[in-house]
Amino acid sequence: MTAFSLSPSAGPQDIRQAIRRGDWTQHTSGLAPGFAQANLVILPAQYADDFIRFCLMNPRPCPVLDVTRPGDPSPRSLGEGIDLRHDLPRYRLYRHGVLESECTDIAEYWQDDFVSFSIGCSFSFEEALLNDGLDVRHIHHRRNVPMYRTNRALTPSGPFRGELVVSMRPFSAEQAIRAIQITTDMPKVHGAPLHIGNPALIGIDDLAKPDFGEPPVIHDDDLPVFWACGVTPQLAIEQAKLPFVITHSPGHMLITDVPNQRLKFS
Amino acid sequence: MTAFSLSPSAGPQDIRQAIRRGDWTQHTSGLAPGFAQANLVILPAQYADDFIRFCLMNPRPCPVLDVTRPGDPSPRSLGEGIDLRHDLPRYRLYRHGVLESECTDIAEYWQDDFVSFSIGCSFSFEEALLNDGLDVRHIHHRRNVPMYRTNRALTPSGPFRGELVVSMRPFSAEQAIRAIQITTDMPKVHGAPLHIGNPALIGIDDLAKPDFGEPPVIHDDDLPVFWACGVTPQLAIEQAKLPFVITHSPGHMLITDVPNQRLKFS
């Protein structure tokens, strides 16, 4: 780990430059407040059509912000001069569905037929919830959000299939209603919740034992509220066992130049 | 009861004419689909300032659509040629907080200092829920909606005070989320729910025993969803024990020329 530290006022371009130089290899949570961060999936072009249809047919877990042309490392709609080969702090390389390694730069693995998908991330709507004064419990307690596999099948497309994964945030009834209103307005970052209340109805046995992330802190009288989660496409991709896929490493996201405000439809 | 029947295609003006002639004295539920209906409160001008502030400070239960000038029987923003002295099928007269009588025309009681408040009605958002394909349970079972007194105090204003009354509609979790989205968009007809889930948290002991309306039909796995209810101002007015007040009789509403669609803010 480097001793490098980012200024709290660093903007998206400053941070991407620090990442590109190798000065920042940590997670991106809390960096560049006000700007959207994105999940990254890089696939050979031959799988891109199936994956794009998979995303379109499952828009809540897979809200696509940008798709590049084959070989182009720049998601041009998301910022100036982004190079996806260098500009994320940590990547994961999968071969035939197995995690092979992590690295901080993927230039040496780049292929001319790579198509890159940038997918909306819940960081954006969590910022909107916090800005509205809601108690986003896992942030309050400095934990990772709890995530759960559900029994809800995704619409398959080519090799991509699987079950929906959800993240859960507990709220009082009043704050749950407000959270639904706020996230309804942000369909490009998972949008409104898919479920509220009884976890068993979507195949979750025990809220205290999430499949990913950390256990929740739930108060008496809270309602659990469930949103589609960006881990969903990650699992679908692992399950597809493609020869070669690159993704971001969890929490180590692409920082874009897109204001979160611009992800609201109204 | 007359043998008169309204054509299913009768518009708001046709129906108001039939009511004015005395040909229609029944309730207005289901009449003039697509057009807003309104609750009516008529008060002497000396109480109007307090009541207007009461409505503004409690906007969810008391969404004001129109306030007339003293003595004017026409809520001009709600339609052409409406005369509130004749155009509702049934009125209630209260003296000192006590229901004195019901009648079908109030011309003989009219005072030059009467101010008339037209207040948004849940019929409008129920139509929006039905149009979206939601199962509005009490309509499905041809019952009156269940309504409950809560422990939530209203903001008082002059003689007007009391507790919030809510209506309850049970939905599956998925439909509850959708219902929140739809009604958020309609703040002039009570807007988003105020509570979801555990009734005890708002002081309701037993859902099977509503204070007004009929008992609900609740399915396993339903969530109860609670909206502010137009009965709230009615009770506050009774409690204020004003010398003389006229209201509509429950279910016998003012039919306006305002399309429900125009009550959506987006």
Side-chain angles (χ1 to χ4, degrees):
Chain A
M1 192 60 56
T2 66
F4 181 84
S5 73
L6 284 162
S7 154
S9 66
Q13 305 203 17
D14 305 319
I15 298 172
R16 287 200 305 270
Q17 288 300 324
I19 292 169
R20 188 180 295 191
R21 288 194 307 268
D23 286 336
W24 186 268
T25 57
Q26 297 177 255
H27 70 75
T28 55
S29 173
L31 295 187
F35 292 92
Q37 301 196 17
N39 302 278
L40 178 66
V41 171
I42 303 176
L43 303 166
Q46 70 185 106
Y47 306 107
D49 284 352
D50 280 335
F51 189 67
I52 232 178
R53 183 170 173 276
F54 178 76
C55 292
L56 286 173
M57 296 302 290
N58 301 284
R60 292 297 187 82
C62 313
V64 177
L65 298 178
D66 186 278
V67 188
T68 62
R69 297 184 182 211
D72 185 349
S74 295
R76 294 166 192 277
S77 71
L78 302 182
E80 189 66 27
I82 299 173
D83 189 328
L84 294 174
R85 294 171 297 188
H86 320 290
D87 288 359
L88 278 76
R90 191 169 290 273
Y91 302 83
R92 284 188 162 183
L93 280 60
Y94 291 88
R95 290 192 197 270
H96 302 287
V98 178
L99 175 61
E100 182 183 74
S101 61
E102 291 205 339
C103 58
T104 61
D105 190 289
I106 56 167
E108 66 183 293
Y109 304 103
W110 191 256
Q111 298 179 188
D112 282 349
D113 68 342
F114 270 169
V115 176
S116 300
F117 294 78
S118 298
I119 296 176
C121 163
S122 60
F123 287 178
S124 296
F125 80 67
E126 288 180 344
E127 185 180 270
L129 298 176
L130 289 169
N131 287 348
D132 205 76
L134 300 197
D135 175 22
V136 183
R137 198 68 45 74
H138 69 279
I139 294 177
H140 184 94
H141 289 276
R142 299 176 177 278
R143 294 191 182 187
N144 198 347
V145 70
M147 293 164 273
Y148 307 85
R149 296 172 187 268
T150 72
N151 60 10
R152 303 257 181 123
L154 301 165
T155 302
S157 174
F160 305 104
R161 66 191 61 243
E163 280 79 40
L164 175 73
V165 177
V166 292
S167 58
M168 191 283 286
R169 292 162 190 82
F171 287 107
S172 69
E174 193 180 343
Q175 294 206 351
I177 291 168
R178 186 71 189 136
I180 291 170
Q181 295 178 313
I182 292 168
T183 56
T184 291
D185 204 28
M186 304 185 78
K188 290 194 161 180
V189 286
H190 302 306
L194 293 176
H195 186 60
I196 179 169
N198 186 352
L201 296 177
I202 56 171
I204 298 172
D205 291 333
D206 186 352
L207 285 181
K209 295 179 180 165
D211 295 301
F212 313 96
E214 292 179 85
V217 178
I218 304 181
H219 298 166
D220 287 354
D221 305 332
D222 272 349
L223 284 168
V225 187
F226 300 89
W227 278 266
C229 175
V231 167
T232 308
Q234 296 256 7
L235 289 191
I237 284 163
E238 286 181 41
Q239 201 163 313
K241 300 192 193 329
L242 308 189
F244 192 38
V245 174
I246 300 176
T247 71
H248 70 288
S249 176
H252 298 67
M253 320 298 280
L254 169 65
I255 296 174
T256 77
D257 293 352
V258 178
N260 282 326
Q261 180 65 32
R262 207 184 298 162
L263 297 176
K264 297 185 180 178
F265 74 75
S266 64
Chain B
M1 190 60 57
T2 67
F4 182 84
S5 72
L6 285 162
S7 152
S9 67
Q13 305 203 18
D14 304 320
I15 297 172
R16 287 200 306 270
Q17 288 300 325
I19 291 169
R20 188 180 297 191
R21 287 193 308 267
D23 286 338
W24 185 266
T25 57
Q26 298 177 254
H27 71 75
T28 55
S29 170
L31 295 187
F35 292 91
Q37 301 195 16
N39 302 278
L40 178 65
V41 172
I42 303 177
L43 302 168
Q46 69 184 105
Y47 305 107
D49 284 352
D50 281 334
F51 190 67
I52 231 179
R53 182 169 174 275
F54 178 76
C55 292
L56 285 173
M57 296 302 290
N58 301 283
R60 292 296 185 81
C62 313
V64 177
L65 298 177
D66 188 276
V67 188
T68 62
R69 298 188 181 208
D72 185 350
S74 295
R76 293 166 194 277
S77 71
L78 301 182
E80 189 66 26
I82 299 174
D83 190 329
L84 293 174
R85 295 172 296 189
H86 320 289
D87 288 359
L88 277 76
R90 191 169 291 272
Y91 302 82
R92 284 188 162 183
L93 278 59
Y94 291 87
R95 292 195 196 268
H96 302 288
V98 178
L99 175 62
E100 181 183 78
S101 62
E102 292 206 337
C103 58
T104 60
D105 192 288
I106 56 167
E108 65 183 295
Y109 304 103
W110 191 256
Q111 298 180 190
D112 282 348
D113 67 343
F114 271 171
V115 177
S116 301
F117 294 78
S118 299
I119 297 176
C121 163
S122 61
F123 287 178
S124 295
F125 80 67
E126 288 181 344
E127 185 181 271
L129 299 175
L130 289 169
N131 286 348
D132 205 78
L134 301 197
D135 175 23
V136 183
R137 199 67 47 74
H138 68 279
I139 295 177
H140 184 95
H141 289 275
R142 299 176 180 277
R143 294 192 183 187
N144 197 348
V145 71
M147 293 164 273
Y148 307 85
R149 295 172 189 268
T150 72
N151 60 9
R152 303 255 180 125
L154 301 165
T155 302
S157 174
F160 305 105
R161 65 193 59 243
E163 279 79 41
L164 175 75
V165 177
V166 292
S167 58
M168 191 283 287
R169 294 161 188 81
F171 288 108
S172 69
E174 194 180 343
Q175 293 206 352
I177 291 168
R178 185 70 187 137
I180 291 169
Q181 296 178 314
I182 292 168
T183 56
T184 291
D185 204 28
M186 304 184 80
K188 289 193 160 182
V189 285
H190 303 306
L194 293 176
H195 186 60
I196 180 169
N198 187 352
L201 295 178
I202 55 172
I204 299 172
D205 291 332
D206 186 352
L207 285 181
K209 295 178 180 163
D211 295 298
F212 313 96
E214 292 179 85
V217 178
I218 303 181
H219 299 168
D220 287 354
D221 304 333
D222 272 348
L223 284 168
V225 187
F226 300 89
W227 279 266
C229 176
V231 167
T232 308
Q234 297 256 5
L235 290 191
I237 284 162
E238 286 181 42
Q239 200 162 312
K241 302 193 193 326
L242 308 189
F244 191 38
V245 175
I246 300 176
T247 71
H248 70 287
S249 175
H252 298 66
M253 321 298 282
L254 169 64
I255 296 175
T256 79
D257 293 353
V258 178
N260 283 325
Q261 178 66 31
R262 207 183 299 162
L263 297 176
K264 298 186 180 177
F265 75 76
S266 64

